[in-house]
Amino acid sequence: MNNIWKRIIIVCLGTVIAGFGVQLIVTANLGSDSVSTLILGLLQHTTIPFGRWSQLLSLLFLLSTFIYKKELLGVGSLINTLLFGEAISFCANFVQFENSRPAIINFIYLLLGFTLMALGTAIYLRADLGAGPVEGIMFCLCDKLQFSLKYSRILIDFTIVLIGFLLGGSIGIGTIFAIFALGPMISAFLRVFSIIKAKISYPLQITEK
């Protein structure tokens, strides 16, 4: 298989995993990731579905990145923008909020959701076919302010959450988790992938005695 198609498949896989993670976070109803908090705020004023808002905001973020540093974008950026919202909508058919669900189950959904979101984000970033919408803004901030990846993500998430809250979006423990833990989790997964790649590329040499 051609290398570009392998990378496109990786982008699609990472996007779908991250999308499923977002739906689990929203379903837990314990506070959402930054963009979901913003969307939940926007839903208080419009009838546009959650998944469609995800796509619209992603296009806005991509446009901002394009204006500042368009070389960060690629075919993967467009795939992520279009597929992410669809993955959320698809997962919503199977996992939805329930008032009767035990709190411990919701907490497990929250942790699993953030893990999948961070893992999926790291996967499609490793494909190196262009940054995702929020990641594009994150890399621009890294370049502009000379921040590390994780601190840039924290600043972006905090800003988006604040706007979502002012629009009427709810916040909770998941929101705090999103602001302060999501960036470091993505960085951790990227480091793990780099270690795995290095070990595969340079296997241990066994010398005969």
Side-chain angles (χ1 to χ4, degrees), residues 120-149:
T121 301
I123 288 174
Y124 76 67
L125 286 176
R126 286 294 298 179
D128 197 25
L129 285 179
V134 177
E135 288 67 41
I137 299 292
M138 178 179 66
F139 287 131
C140 286
L141 199 60
C142 288
D143 181 68
K144 185 71 175 178
L145 302 179
Q146 299 300 306
F147 281 5
S148 67
L149 185 150

PDB file of all heavy atoms in Angstrom, residues 120-149:
ATOM      1  N   GLY A 120      -6.505   9.477  20.223  1.00  0.00           N
ATOM      2  CA  GLY A 120      -6.869   9.749  18.830  1.00  0.00           C
ATOM      3  C   GLY A 120      -6.151  10.958  18.273  1.00  0.00           C
ATOM      4  O   GLY A 120      -5.670  10.954  17.134  1.00  0.00           O
ATOM      5  N   THR A 121      -6.057  12.016  19.086  1.00  0.00           N
ATOM      6  CA  THR A 121      -5.349  13.225  18.653  1.00  0.00           C
ATOM      7  C   THR A 121      -3.884  12.924  18.369  1.00  0.00           C
ATOM      8  O   THR A 121      -3.325  13.364  17.348  1.00  0.00           O
ATOM      9  CB  THR A 121      -5.460  14.315  19.734  1.00  0.00           C
ATOM     10  OG1 THR A 121      -6.828  14.623  19.967  1.00  0.00           O
ATOM     11  CG2 THR A 121      -4.726  15.581  19.295  1.00  0.00           C
ATOM     12  N   ALA A 122      -3.250  12.186  19.255  1.00  0.00           N
ATOM     13  CA  ALA A 122      -1.839  11.834  19.056  1.00  0.00           C
ATOM     14  C   ALA A 122      -1.653  10.973  17.814  1.00  0.00           C
ATOM     15  O   ALA A 122      -0.676  11.132  17.073  1.00  0.00           O
ATOM     16  CB  ALA A 122      -1.315  11.093  20.288  1.00  0.00           C
ATOM     17  N   ILE A 123      -2.593  10.063  17.559  1.00  0.00           N
ATOM     18  CA  ILE A 123      -2.489   9.185  16.390  1.00  0.00           C
ATOM     19  C   ILE A 123      -2.516   9.987  15.097  1.00  0.00           C
ATOM     20  O   ILE A 123      -1.669   9.806  14.215  1.00  0.00           O
ATOM     21  CB  ILE A 123      -3.617   8.132  16.395  1.00  0.00           C
ATOM     22  CG1 ILE A 123      -3.356   7.080  17.482  1.00  0.00           C
ATOM     23  CG2 ILE A 123      -3.734   7.448  15.029  1.00  0.00           C
ATOM     24  CD1 ILE A 123      -4.486   6.086  17.654  1.00  0.00           C
ATOM     25  N   TYR A 124      -3.498  10.898  14.958  1.00  0.00           N
ATOM     26  CA  TYR A 124      -3.558  11.609  13.684  1.00  0.00           C
ATOM     27  C   TYR A 124      -2.457  12.650  13.550  1.00  0.00           C
ATOM     28  O   TYR A 124      -2.044  12.990  12.436  1.00  0.00           O
ATOM     29  CB  TYR A 124      -4.941  12.178  13.392  1.00  0.00           C
ATOM     30  CG  TYR A 124      -5.383  13.410  14.125  1.00  0.00           C
ATOM     31  CD1 TYR A 124      -4.782  14.647  13.923  1.00  0.00           C
ATOM     32  CD2 TYR A 124      -6.474  13.349  14.997  1.00  0.00           C
ATOM     33  CE1 TYR A 124      -5.224  15.771  14.577  1.00  0.00           C
ATOM     34  CE2 TYR A 124      -6.924  14.473  15.651  1.00  0.00           C
ATOM     35  CZ  TYR A 124      -6.302  15.683  15.437  1.00  0.00           C
ATOM     36  OH  TYR A 124      -6.749  16.806  16.081  1.00  0.00           O
ATOM     37  N   LEU A 125      -1.933  13.149  14.673  1.00  0.00           N
ATOM     38  CA  LEU A 125      -0.776  14.039  14.582  1.00  0.00           C
ATOM     39  C   LEU A 125       0.460  13.285  14.099  1.00  0.00           C
ATOM     40  O   LEU A 125       1.286  13.826  13.360  1.00  0.00           O
ATOM     41  CB  LEU A 125      -0.498  14.688  15.941  1.00  0.00           C
ATOM     42  CG  LEU A 125      -1.456  15.793  16.389  1.00  0.00           C
ATOM     43  CD1 LEU A 125      -1.103  16.265  17.795  1.00  0.00           C
ATOM     44  CD2 LEU A 125      -1.433  16.972  15.410  1.00  0.00           C
ATOM     45  N   ARG A 126       0.583  12.009  14.506  1.00  0.00           N
ATOM     46  CA  ARG A 126       1.735  11.189  14.088  1.00  0.00           C
ATOM     47  C   ARG A 126       1.715  10.913  12.587  1.00  0.00           C
ATOM     48  O   ARG A 126       2.760  10.663  11.993  1.00  0.00           O
ATOM     49  CB  ARG A 126       1.744   9.864  14.842  1.00  0.00           C
ATOM     50  CG  ARG A 126       2.167   9.947  16.291  1.00  0.00           C
ATOM     51  CD  ARG A 126       3.611  10.360  16.449  1.00  0.00           C
ATOM     52  NE  ARG A 126       4.540   9.414  15.846  1.00  0.00           N
ATOM     53  CZ  ARG A 126       5.851   9.550  15.823  1.00  0.00           C
ATOM     54  NH1 ARG A 126       6.402  10.614  16.368  1.00  0.00           N
ATOM     55  NH2 ARG A 126       6.621   8.650  15.258  1.00  0.00           N
ATOM     56  N   ALA A 127       0.537  10.971  11.983  1.00  0.00           N
ATOM     57  CA  ALA A 127       0.454  10.735  10.537  1.00  0.00           C
ATOM     58  C   ALA A 127       1.129  11.857   9.755  1.00  0.00           C
ATOM     59  O   ALA A 127       1.517  11.671   8.597  1.00  0.00           O
ATOM     60  CB  ALA A 127      -1.006  10.597  10.107  1.00  0.00           C
ATOM     61  N   ASP A 128       1.271  13.027  10.397  1.00  0.00           N
ATOM     62  CA  ASP A 128       1.975  14.167   9.796  1.00  0.00           C
ATOM     63  C   ASP A 128       1.381  14.567   8.442  1.00  0.00           C
ATOM     64  O   ASP A 128       2.100  14.794   7.470  1.00  0.00           O
ATOM     65  CB  ASP A 128       3.462  13.837   9.646  1.00  0.00           C
ATOM     66  CG  ASP A 128       4.306  15.091   9.417  1.00  0.00           C
ATOM     67  OD1 ASP A 128       3.854  16.176   9.839  1.00  0.00           O
ATOM     68  OD2 ASP A 128       5.383  14.987   8.815  1.00  0.00           O
ATOM     69  N   LEU A 129       0.051  14.646   8.395  1.00  0.00           N
ATOM     70  CA  LEU A 129      -0.624  15.113   7.176  1.00  0.00           C
ATOM     71  C   LEU A 129      -1.350  16.433   7.431  1.00  0.00           C
ATOM     72  O   LEU A 129      -2.313  16.765   6.758  1.00  0.00           O
ATOM     73  CB  LEU A 129      -1.621  14.055   6.677  1.00  0.00           C
ATOM     74  CG  LEU A 129      -1.022  12.838   5.982  1.00  0.00           C
ATOM     75  CD1 LEU A 129      -2.118  11.864   5.568  1.00  0.00           C
ATOM     76  CD2 LEU A 129      -0.191  13.248   4.767  1.00  0.00           C
ATOM     77  N   GLY A 130      -0.878  17.159   8.409  1.00  0.00           N
ATOM     78  CA  GLY A 130      -1.500  18.430   8.753  1.00  0.00           C
ATOM     79  C   GLY A 130      -2.122  18.373  10.133  1.00  0.00           C
ATOM     80  O   GLY A 130      -2.683  17.358  10.533  1.00  0.00           O
ATOM     81  N   ALA A 131      -2.015  19.462  10.852  1.00  0.00           N
ATOM     82  CA  ALA A 131      -2.566  19.520  12.201  1.00  0.00           C
ATOM     83  C   ALA A 131      -4.079  19.581  12.162  1.00  0.00           C
ATOM     84  O   ALA A 131      -4.681  20.061  11.192  1.00  0.00           O
ATOM     85  CB  ALA A 131      -2.020  20.759  12.921  1.00  0.00           C
ATOM     86  N   GLY A 132      -4.711  19.078  13.223  1.00  0.00           N
ATOM     87  CA  GLY A 132      -6.149  19.212  13.363  1.00  0.00           C
ATOM     88  C   GLY A 132      -6.505  20.657  13.666  1.00  0.00           C
ATOM     89  O   GLY A 132      -5.622  21.490  13.913  1.00  0.00           O
ATOM     90  N   PRO A 133      -7.790  20.998  13.672  1.00  0.00           N
ATOM     91  CA  PRO A 133      -8.214  22.389  13.874  1.00  0.00           C
ATOM     92  C   PRO A 133      -7.675  23.022  15.150  1.00  0.00           C
ATOM     93  O   PRO A 133      -7.039  24.077  15.095  1.00  0.00           O
ATOM     94  CB  PRO A 133      -9.741  22.270  13.906  1.00  0.00           C
ATOM     95  CG  PRO A 133     -10.036  21.063  13.075  1.00  0.00           C
ATOM     96  CD  PRO A 133      -8.923  20.102  13.377  1.00  0.00           C
ATOM     97  N   VAL A 134      -7.920  22.398  16.299  1.00  0.00           N
ATOM     98  CA  VAL A 134      -7.444  22.966  17.560  1.00  0.00           C
ATOM     99  C   VAL A 134      -5.925  22.852  17.653  1.00  0.00           C
ATOM    100  O   VAL A 134      -5.254  23.767  18.145  1.00  0.00           O
ATOM    101  CB  VAL A 134      -8.103  22.264  18.759  1.00  0.00           C
ATOM    102  CG1 VAL A 134      -7.546  22.804  20.077  1.00  0.00           C
ATOM    103  CG2 VAL A 134      -9.614  22.446  18.733  1.00  0.00           C
ATOM    104  N   GLU A 135      -5.381  21.752  17.157  1.00  0.00           N
ATOM    105  CA  GLU A 135      -3.930  21.552  17.205  1.00  0.00           C
ATOM    106  C   GLU A 135      -3.203  22.581  16.347  1.00  0.00           C
ATOM    107  O   GLU A 135      -2.085  22.993  16.671  1.00  0.00           O
ATOM    108  CB  GLU A 135      -3.581  20.134  16.758  1.00  0.00           C
ATOM    109  CG  GLU A 135      -3.956  19.059  17.748  1.00  0.00           C
ATOM    110  CD  GLU A 135      -5.461  18.914  17.906  1.00  0.00           C
ATOM    111  OE1 GLU A 135      -6.181  18.968  16.881  1.00  0.00           O
ATOM    112  OE2 GLU A 135      -5.918  18.754  19.058  1.00  0.00           O
ATOM    113  N   GLY A 136      -3.833  22.991  15.238  1.00  0.00           N
ATOM    114  CA  GLY A 136      -3.240  24.033  14.405  1.00  0.00           C
ATOM    115  C   GLY A 136      -3.086  25.334  15.175  1.00  0.00           C
ATOM    116  O   GLY A 136      -2.036  25.981  15.141  1.00  0.00           O
ATOM    117  N   ILE A 137      -4.153  25.710  15.910  1.00  0.00           N
ATOM    118  CA  ILE A 137      -4.093  26.905  16.759  1.00  0.00           C
ATOM    119  C   ILE A 137      -3.025  26.721  17.831  1.00  0.00           C
ATOM    120  O   ILE A 137      -2.275  27.653  18.160  1.00  0.00           O
ATOM    121  CB  ILE A 137      -5.465  27.165  17.419  1.00  0.00           C
ATOM    122  CG1 ILE A 137      -6.548  27.411  16.355  1.00  0.00           C
ATOM    123  CG2 ILE A 137      -5.373  28.340  18.382  1.00  0.00           C
ATOM    124  CD1 ILE A 137      -6.382  28.682  15.590  1.00  0.00           C
ATOM    125  N   MET A 138      -2.952  25.508  18.362  1.00  0.00           N
ATOM    126  CA  MET A 138      -1.976  25.209  19.412  1.00  0.00           C
ATOM    127  C   MET A 138      -0.547  25.397  18.911  1.00  0.00           C
ATOM    128  O   MET A 138       0.282  26.035  19.574  1.00  0.00           O
ATOM    129  CB  MET A 138      -2.180  23.766  19.890  1.00  0.00           C
ATOM    130  CG  MET A 138      -1.201  23.287  20.945  1.00  0.00           C
ATOM    131  SD  MET A 138      -1.582  21.578  21.441  1.00  0.00           S
ATOM    132  CE  MET A 138      -1.229  20.689  19.900  1.00  0.00           C
ATOM    133  N   PHE A 139      -0.256  24.895  17.726  1.00  0.00           N
ATOM    134  CA  PHE A 139       1.090  25.018  17.165  1.00  0.00           C
ATOM    135  C   PHE A 139       1.403  26.476  16.810  1.00  0.00           C
ATOM    136  O   PHE A 139       2.550  26.911  16.938  1.00  0.00           O
ATOM    137  CB  PHE A 139       1.243  24.137  15.931  1.00  0.00           C
ATOM    138  CG  PHE A 139       1.324  22.666  16.250  1.00  0.00           C
ATOM    139  CD1 PHE A 139       0.538  21.748  15.580  1.00  0.00           C
ATOM    140  CD2 PHE A 139       2.190  22.197  17.231  1.00  0.00           C
ATOM    141  CE1 PHE A 139       0.602  20.403  15.880  1.00  0.00           C
ATOM    142  CE2 PHE A 139       2.268  20.854  17.532  1.00  0.00           C
ATOM    143  CZ  PHE A 139       1.474  19.946  16.852  1.00  0.00           C
ATOM    144  N   CYS A 140       0.397  27.220  16.373  1.00  0.00           N
ATOM    145  CA  CYS A 140       0.596  28.643  16.089  1.00  0.00           C
ATOM    146  C   CYS A 140       0.975  29.389  17.365  1.00  0.00           C
ATOM    147  O   CYS A 140       1.856  30.251  17.356  1.00  0.00           O
ATOM    148  CB  CYS A 140      -0.674  29.250  15.493  1.00  0.00           C
ATOM    149  SG  CYS A 140      -1.011  28.786  13.775  1.00  0.00           S
ATOM    150  N   LEU A 141       0.304  29.031  18.454  1.00  0.00           N
ATOM    151  CA  LEU A 141       0.590  29.661  19.736  1.00  0.00           C
ATOM    152  C   LEU A 141       1.991  29.291  20.220  1.00  0.00           C
ATOM    153  O   LEU A 141       2.712  30.132  20.760  1.00  0.00           O
ATOM    154  CB  LEU A 141      -0.458  29.231  20.770  1.00  0.00           C
ATOM    155  CG  LEU A 141      -0.607  30.115  22.014  1.00  0.00           C
ATOM    156  CD1 LEU A 141      -0.997  31.535  21.613  1.00  0.00           C
ATOM    157  CD2 LEU A 141      -1.640  29.531  22.956  1.00  0.00           C
ATOM    158  N   CYS A 142       2.362  28.031  20.007  1.00  0.00           N
ATOM    159  CA  CYS A 142       3.724  27.602  20.355  1.00  0.00           C
ATOM    160  C   CYS A 142       4.752  28.460  19.621  1.00  0.00           C
ATOM    161  O   CYS A 142       5.760  28.878  20.198  1.00  0.00           O
ATOM    162  CB  CYS A 142       3.926  26.130  19.978  1.00  0.00           C
ATOM    163  SG  CYS A 142       3.068  24.943  21.027  1.00  0.00           S
ATOM    164  N   ASP A 143       4.484  28.712  18.343  1.00  0.00           N
ATOM    165  CA  ASP A 143       5.411  29.466  17.513  1.00  0.00           C
ATOM    166  C   ASP A 143       5.425  30.949  17.896  1.00  0.00           C
ATOM    167  O   ASP A 143       6.485  31.577  17.956  1.00  0.00           O
ATOM    168  CB  ASP A 143       5.020  29.305  16.039  1.00  0.00           C
ATOM    169  CG  ASP A 143       5.952  30.044  15.104  1.00  0.00           C
ATOM    170  OD1 ASP A 143       7.128  29.646  14.999  1.00  0.00           O
ATOM    171  OD2 ASP A 143       5.516  31.032  14.476  1.00  0.00           O
ATOM    172  N   LYS A 144       4.261  31.496  18.174  1.00  0.00           N
ATOM    173  CA  LYS A 144       4.139  32.921  18.441  1.00  0.00           C
ATOM    174  C   LYS A 144       4.670  33.290  19.824  1.00  0.00           C
ATOM    175  O   LYS A 144       5.394  34.289  19.979  1.00  0.00           O
ATOM    176  CB  LYS A 144       2.660  33.337  18.334  1.00  0.00           C
ATOM    177  CG  LYS A 144       2.414  34.824  18.464  1.00  0.00           C
ATOM    178  CD  LYS A 144       2.902  35.581  17.249  1.00  0.00           C
ATOM    179  CE  LYS A 144       2.532  37.058  17.329  1.00  0.00           C
ATOM    180  NZ  LYS A 144       3.028  37.824  16.176  1.00  0.00           N
ATOM    181  N   LEU A 145       4.314  32.498  20.849  1.00  0.00           N
ATOM    182  CA  LEU A 145       4.666  32.834  22.226  1.00  0.00           C
ATOM    183  C   LEU A 145       5.820  32.012  22.775  1.00  0.00           C
ATOM    184  O   LEU A 145       6.210  32.196  23.931  1.00  0.00           O
ATOM    185  CB  LEU A 145       3.434  32.667  23.132  1.00  0.00           C
ATOM    186  CG  LEU A 145       2.202  33.500  22.762  1.00  0.00           C
ATOM    187  CD1 LEU A 145       1.059  33.215  23.725  1.00  0.00           C
ATOM    188  CD2 LEU A 145       2.533  34.985  22.742  1.00  0.00           C
ATOM    189  N   GLN A 146       6.332  31.076  21.954  1.00  0.00           N
ATOM    190  CA  GLN A 146       7.418  30.199  22.390  1.00  0.00           C
ATOM    191  C   GLN A 146       7.016  29.361  23.608  1.00  0.00           C
ATOM    192  O   GLN A 146       7.821  29.127  24.506  1.00  0.00           O
ATOM    193  CB  GLN A 146       8.679  31.025  22.708  1.00  0.00           C
ATOM    194  CG  GLN A 146       9.221  31.798  21.515  1.00  0.00           C
ATOM    195  CD  GLN A 146       9.611  30.892  20.345  1.00  0.00           C
ATOM    196  OE1 GLN A 146      10.387  29.969  20.506  1.00  0.00           O
ATOM    197  NE2 GLN A 146       9.048  31.149  19.174  1.00  0.00           N
ATOM    198  N   PHE A 147       5.742  28.921  23.609  1.00  0.00           N
ATOM    199  CA  PHE A 147       5.249  28.056  24.662  1.00  0.00           C
ATOM    200  C   PHE A 147       5.489  26.603  24.277  1.00  0.00           C
ATOM    201  O   PHE A 147       5.617  26.272  23.104  1.00  0.00           O
ATOM    202  CB  PHE A 147       3.744  28.251  24.872  1.00  0.00           C
ATOM    203  CG  PHE A 147       3.382  29.468  25.681  1.00  0.00           C
ATOM    204  CD1 PHE A 147       4.346  30.376  26.100  1.00  0.00           C
ATOM    205  CD2 PHE A 147       2.067  29.711  26.036  1.00  0.00           C
ATOM    206  CE1 PHE A 147       4.013  31.496  26.838  1.00  0.00           C
ATOM    207  CE2 PHE A 147       1.716  30.824  26.779  1.00  0.00           C
ATOM    208  CZ  PHE A 147       2.687  31.720  27.171  1.00  0.00           C
ATOM    209  N   SER A 148       5.522  25.734  25.274  1.00  0.00           N
ATOM    210  CA  SER A 148       5.561  24.297  24.998  1.00  0.00           C
ATOM    211  C   SER A 148       4.187  23.856  24.528  1.00  0.00           C
ATOM    212  O   SER A 148       3.191  24.564  24.702  1.00  0.00           O
ATOM    213  CB  SER A 148       5.940  23.521  26.265  1.00  0.00           C
ATOM    214  OG  SER A 148       4.909  23.619  27.238  1.00  0.00           O
ATOM    215  N   LEU A 149       4.128  22.657  23.942  1.00  0.00           N
ATOM    216  CA  LEU A 149       2.861  22.135  23.421  1.00  0.00           C
ATOM    217  C   LEU A 149       1.808  22.065  24.515  1.00  0.00           C
ATOM    218  O   LEU A 149       0.680  22.507  24.333  1.00  0.00           O
ATOM    219  CB  LEU A 149       3.093  20.756  22.800  1.00  0.00           C
ATOM    220  CG  LEU A 149       1.923  20.071  22.093  1.00  0.00           C
ATOM    221  CD1 LEU A 149       2.436  19.186  20.970  1.00  0.00           C
ATOM    222  CD2 LEU A 149       1.081  19.231  23.053  1.00  0.00           C
TER     223      LEU A 149
END
